[in-house]
Each structure stands twice: as C-alpha cells, then as structure tokens.
Amino acid sequence: MAIPAPEDTYDRVLLAAEELFGEHGFAGTSLQAIADRVGVTKAALYYHFRTKDELLDALLRPALNDLDRVLEVAESRRGTTARQRLLFEGYVDFLIRYRTLAVILDRDVAIGRHPAIQPRLASITARVREVLDDVDDSIDYRVSTAVAMGGIYSAVAAFPELPDDELGRILRGVVRKLLGPRRRAPGTVAGV
C-alpha cells in the first residue's frame, strides 16, 4: 500500500472533517473519528492539525477569505444600489460554491460561536450591515435587505438537492422580487 502524499492527506483530512461535522456536528466529532475516516493514524493527523480548532480554521478560512473578497468588491463601488446588487450577487455565488459548509454552519450554530471563528464572522456581519444599511432607505426596504440575506442562506441549506445553476437563478429572482426598487425613507431626497 502506497503512503499518501502529505498534501493528499491534508486535503483528505479536510474533506473528512467537513463530512463528519455535517453528520455529527463540530462538538460530536473527534480527531480520532476524522483519522479513522481518512484511514490514517491520529499521529499522522497531528502532523497537519494539532487541534480540532486548527482544523476548523483551515476548513473555514478559504470560504471566509472568499466572502471577504465579495465584500471588498461591493464596498469598492460607489452608490448604495450598486454596492447592494454586487453584495447579493456575490453572496448567492459564494453560498452555492460553499454549500456544504453553509449547511453545516446552518445546522451547527456552535461553529459560528466558536472562539476561533466568531470574531471573523462578527466582522463580516458588520461589513455586510454597512453595505446594506442606508438610513435614507425606508425601514421596509432595510428590513427587506435583512430578510433577503437570511433567506438566501436558509434556502441554500434547505434545498441541497437543487442543482447549483437552478438554485442560483431562483435565488437571484427572489432577491429582485423582494427588494424591487430602493425606497427612500419619508422626508429624504435621493442624492442628498
């Protein structure tokens, strides 16, 4: 039997962790269970990850980096409408690209509250709110943007069987219908 290359073992450990976190949750998955799923010793797993926290960080880091890039693109645009449109489009694409992780985070809220992850998620959430919250928008519109963000996330978790392209098309259509044209708060003037 050939010994797997370290890179191959690293990727297999991440895949096994993702599967097991989805099946049993973060707290319900041991490093030994991950090593068993990969077919390596716990010592071989320790070569790549000393703790389950390190493994969680390595699993989520690429997704959170991509979400940072979605936000950077949206934040770089002038005009609230353009920023919001780019955020919603990017968010749909992001969640579809990371569907399995989205489902895990939806079902295991302990991961989102984990000290290794929570500060970064809080920062991302604050940046999302900055893009979405325009005090000159009507409260109806502002609530609609919040519902749209949460609804996109929930739908990705609720419909894992839908093909990516179909789910993306549906979600973009729902966002367009839900938000419609931006509505200004009473007493505000567009462009002021």
Side-chain angles (χ1 to χ4, degrees):
M1 177 176 166
I3 297 174
E7 303 81 33
D8 181 48
T9 302
Y10 181 90
D11 293 338
R12 289 175 40 224
V13 167
L14 288 176
L15 179 60
E18 186 174 333
E19 291 169 354
L20 289 166
F21 293 165
E23 294 168 17
H24 307 287
F26 179 74
T29 302
S30 67
L31 287 175
Q32 185 63 58
I34 294 167
D36 291 347
R37 175 75 57 104
V38 175
V40 298
T41 65
K42 202 168 173 183
L45 190 140
Y46 281 147
Y47 174 79
H48 299 287
F49 304 102
R50 302 292 298 155
T51 67
K52 200 164 56 163
D53 291 352
E54 284 182 16
L55 201 160
L56 180 64
D57 178 66
L59 183 63
L60 293 179
R61 189 178 330 111
L64 295 177
N65 289 344
D66 279 358
L67 188 52
D68 276 333
R69 284 188 282 280
V70 166
L71 280 159
E72 287 167 6
V73 168
E75 291 165 338
S76 72
R77 294 297 198 257
R78 293 183 56 162
T80 303
T81 301
R83 290 169 52 143
Q84 290 178 354
R85 180 183 53 79
L86 286 169
L87 176 59
F88 280 112
E89 289 174 1
Y91 191 55
V92 167
D93 293 341
F94 163 79
L95 285 175
I96 288 173
R97 189 169 39 256
Y98 294 101
R99 283 175 92 163
T100 303
L101 290 177
V103 170
I104 290 168
L105 287 167
D106 183 63
R107 293 186 181 151
D108 189 351
V109 294
I111 292 176
R113 293 187 183 128
H114 192 281
I117 303 302
Q118 196 282 327
R120 185 137 185 227
L121 289 178
S123 171
I124 288 170
T125 300
R127 290 172 65 199
V128 167
R129 291 291 359 131
E130 285 180 30
V131 170
L132 295 181
D133 277 346
D134 182 339
V135 295
D136 292 335
D137 285 334
S138 70
I139 191 63
D140 291 359
Y141 187 81
R142 291 168 62 201
V143 168
S144 294
T145 63
V147 169
M149 287 302 283
I152 291 168
Y153 182 78
S154 294
V156 167
F159 298 98
E161 74 284 350
L162 283 178
D164 291 350
D165 57 342
E166 183 178 0
L167 182 59
R169 178 187 56 76
I170 292 168
L171 289 174
R172 287 181 188 87
V174 168
V175 168
R176 280 191 299 276
K177 288 177 192 172
L178 181 63
L179 297 182
R182 285 183 61 218
R183 296 175 296 276
R184 307 305 284 175
T188 60
V189 179
V192 176

